[in-house]
Amino acid sequence: MLTKLTTEKQMKFLCLLCCIAYFMSYLTRLNYAACMVELRDVLQITKSVAGLPVTACFLSYGFGQIICGVLGDRFKPQMMIFAGLAGACCCNLLVACFPRVEIIIPVWCANGFFQAMLWPPMVRIMAECLNDKWYKNSCVLVSMASSAATIATYLVAPVCIQVSGWRAAFFLPAGLGILAAFFWYGNTRKLAADGVVPAEEGRAGTAEALAGERKAGTMEAAEEGRAGTAEVPAEEGRARTAEVPVEEGKARTAEAPAEEGKARMAEAPAGKKGDGKHSLFIQLIVDAPLVLILLAIVLQGMLRDGITTWMPVYMSETFGMSNAKSILSAAALPLFSVFSVLLASLLLDCLKSEVFTAACLFGLGALAGAAMLAAFDSLPVFCILMMTLITGCAHGINLMLISRVPRHFTRYGKVSSVSGILNSATYVGSSLSTYGFGAVAEQAGWMQVVIIWIAVCAAGMCVMFLARKKWARFCGR
């Protein structure tokens, strides 16, 4: 277990470090997708071949999330983040130095695995070191950092292409990423050297913990003694045997599944010794609608990364924009996602359910897709606006299901594992859409792709409505 931070200053600084690390993660991951329309021309390859490095990256990222999620619960998360960011920078340098598609594909696949070493450990750090208020703030701020990095990528990439060529779009993030990795490493070591908890509080906390243990033990013994020897008062006996009022019986019946589930889950870690970890995890999957949440995350990943990856190609082919202008138009997607993350957080405060909030956002995305279908090849500004709205909803869903849901598993010591598994599902969807949308566009045209976007949104809304009640029971709401 990591130590909870105790001062506002420490929490702000840790949040800043997480934002910088995640910003650089996106900067060193999205630059290939941003330059893909240019690389397709330079390397003389088809759309489907040009999408293979991104597909390989998404697949290795998704698979790596599961591995790194488990490792993030067992090893130092700070070192995993440093190693992942440094490895991603090396992959960027290799792509810039060896521009051949047969080299780029395995290198970008390795980049995906290095990137997977960041998010699950980061969620664990935020969940265990920050209080509830700062955890919520950090989820929003880290999501905004990823959106800011996406904006920066789609603004800087066309400038690099125009000024000095596409290689600069890989050299620049690699250099900045290495600096960010050492900045993270040095400052997390400093937090650890400072003891995270101030010396006086640390000593006081230790003393209080020991005293509390002794006091708790004494009080428990006394309570057991009283409970074992004290006679039940007559009134209490009569109350026990009396018939339960109808209203109370109904309330007990309604609350029984949630209370029983919480009690069963709370007892699981202590009740199992040999296979406790495995049985606990299986129990979590059964009691929480993780399968449905995973399916919704796959659909969300198809929308978010599929549209972001293919929008420059769509704008170039449908409206005849230049490569630089089509890449620049894609900067509108993450620009709106900054606001969508904030709006999704506010919507969650009103609806009180991550799953129901995600269902509403999927529904809004379906409406935006239906509106876009009417003018998918005639109104470029309107199409950009609708694609921006769909991806904004996807970013809001990402905040709900990948950032906020794992916090509910803190008490079971499975934050990093659950976060890794959930985030891996995003990139299953991303890999499917990166190759699939390009193939559908080649065979049937972009209108069919837009229809698929609408269908994905509608399916996501249905899945989240199915999961709503079970999630409410798991959370005790």
Side-chain angles (χ1 to χ4, degrees):
M1 289 288 289
L2 301 172
T3 310
K4 275 229 183 272
L5 299 177
T6 56
T7 68
E8 196 85 358
K9 184 179 178 181
Q10 289 173 330
M11 293 185 198
K12 285 182 181 178
F13 188 59
L14 180 60
C15 185
L16 174 65
L17 290 175
C18 291
C19 288
I20 292 172
Y22 211 57
F23 179 91
M24 293 312 308
S25 166
Y26 266 63
L27 213 63
T28 52
R29 190 199 322 166
L30 297 181
N31 47 352
Y32 177 86
C35 296
M36 188 167 65
V37 66
E38 177 71 13
L39 285 167
R40 197 173 51 126
D41 295 339
V42 171
L43 302 178
Q44 295 294 300
I45 52 179
T46 63
K47 285 195 288 289
S48 55
V49 173
L52 283 177
V54 183
T55 300
C57 179
F58 285 154
L59 285 173
S60 63
Y61 185 90
F63 181 69
Q65 287 283 307
I66 300 173
I67 297 173
C68 296
V70 174
L71 295 177
D73 280 327
R74 299 184 180 182
F75 299 104
K76 288 184 178 180
Q78 301 92 328
M79 288 303 300
M80 286 184 65
I81 292 172
F82 170 77
L85 195 51
C89 294
C90 292
C91 291
N92 273 258
L93 292 173
L94 287 172
V95 169
C97 294
F98 302 99
R100 295 173 60 88
V101 71
E102 57 268 27
I103 295 175
I104 292 174
I105 291 173
V107 168
W108 219 241
C109 182
N111 186 27
F113 189 83
F114 283 123
Q115 299 280 351
M117 297 171 71
L118 275 76
W119 178 248
M122 191 175 292
V123 174
R124 182 191 167 193
I125 289 172
M126 294 190 300
E128 294 186 8
C129 294
L130 302 175
N131 60 25
D132 189 59
K133 172 195 163 187
W134 269 101
Y135 178 80
K136 292 177 181 178
N137 290 342
S138 64
C139 285
V140 173
L141 291 171
V142 170
S143 296
M144 290 174 67
S146 67
S147 298
T150 309
I151 295 168
T153 300
Y154 283 92
L155 289 177
V156 171
V159 173
C160 290
I161 290 169
Q162 292 283 7
V163 174
S164 60
W166 63 270
R167 283 183 175 86
F170 291 85
F171 281 127
L172 183 61
L176 294 174
I178 290 171
L179 292 175
F182 281 100
F183 184 74
W184 166 271
Y185 179 73
N187 283 286
T188 50
R189 275 181 62 107
K190 186 176 183 299
L191 279 175
D194 291 342
V196 180
V197 181
E200 292 77 14
E201 285 191 41
R203 287 193 293 271
T206 306
E208 285 173 16
L210 292 172
E213 272 188 43
R214 289 194 295 269
K215 186 176 179 182
T218 306
M219 289 179 68
E220 283 175 12
E223 290 295 328
E224 281 183 17
R226 285 195 294 270
T229 59
E231 188 175 339
V232 179
E235 291 78 11
E236 187 179 340
R238 284 195 296 272
R240 283 186 187 173
T241 55
E243 185 176 348
V244 179
V246 177
E247 292 77 13
E248 187 181 341
K250 289 180 181 176
R252 283 188 186 175
T253 304
E255 290 172 9
E259 293 301 322
E260 183 184 345
K262 284 193 284 187
R264 195 168 64 247
M265 301 280 277
E267 290 168 5
K272 303 283 184 182
K273 294 294 180 187
D275 63 337
K277 291 181 179 178
H278 300 292
S279 61
L280 171 62
F281 203 76
I282 293 169
Q283 189 176 342
L284 289 173
I285 292 173
V286 171
D287 287 359
L290 285 183
V291 175
L292 292 174
I293 290 173
L294 284 168
L295 179 56
I297 291 171
V298 170
L299 298 173
Q300 175 268 145
M302 291 178 68
L303 291 172
R304 190 193 68 178
D305 293 316
I307 295 175
T308 302
T309 299
W310 287 109
M311 183 178 173
V313 181
Y314 168 77
M315 299 304 295
S316 176
E317 292 186 352
T318 306
F319 300 108
M321 289 185 177
S322 67
N323 289 347
K325 286 183 179 179
S326 62
I327 295 171
L328 193 61
S329 69
L333 300 180
L335 185 63
F336 183 75
S337 71
V338 173
F339 300 102
S340 67
V341 165
L342 291 171
L343 292 172
S345 185
L346 293 174
L347 186 60
L348 176 61
D349 290 338
C350 296
L351 299 179
K352 308 297 182 185
S353 170
E354 295 86 356
V355 166
F356 185 46
T357 303
C360 295
L361 292 171
F362 269 122
L364 181 59
L367 293 175
M372 179 182 171
L373 191 61
F376 79 99
D377 61 351
S378 58
L379 298 173
V381 175
F382 181 74
C383 288
I384 290 172
L385 181 61
M386 291 300 101
M387 283 188 282
T388 299
L389 185 56
I390 296 171
T391 53
C393 290
H395 278 280
I397 296 164
N398 186 79
L399 176 71
M400 295 300 106
L401 303 184
I402 295 177
S403 297
R404 298 297 289 271
V405 163
R407 183 69 185 272
H408 293 279
F409 297 86
T410 303
R411 64 183 182 272
Y412 310 113
K414 298 293 181 183
V415 177
S416 181
S417 299
V418 171
S419 176
I421 291 170
L422 294 181
N423 206 19
S424 70
T426 298
Y427 294 93
V428 173
S430 300
S431 59
L432 290 172
S433 65
T434 302
Y435 180 81
F437 290 169
V440 171
E442 280 182 348
Q443 297 297 321
W446 286 105
M447 182 178 181
Q448 298 301 318
V449 175
V450 177
I451 292 173
I452 291 173
W453 294 346
I454 299 169
V456 168
C457 288
M461 180 178 65
C462 293
V463 167
M464 287 291 88
F465 272 119
L466 286 174
R468 182 186 174 189
K469 289 184 179 179
K470 195 170 185 180
W471 179 250
R473 286 197 300 269
F474 175 75
C475 297
R477 296 193 182 106

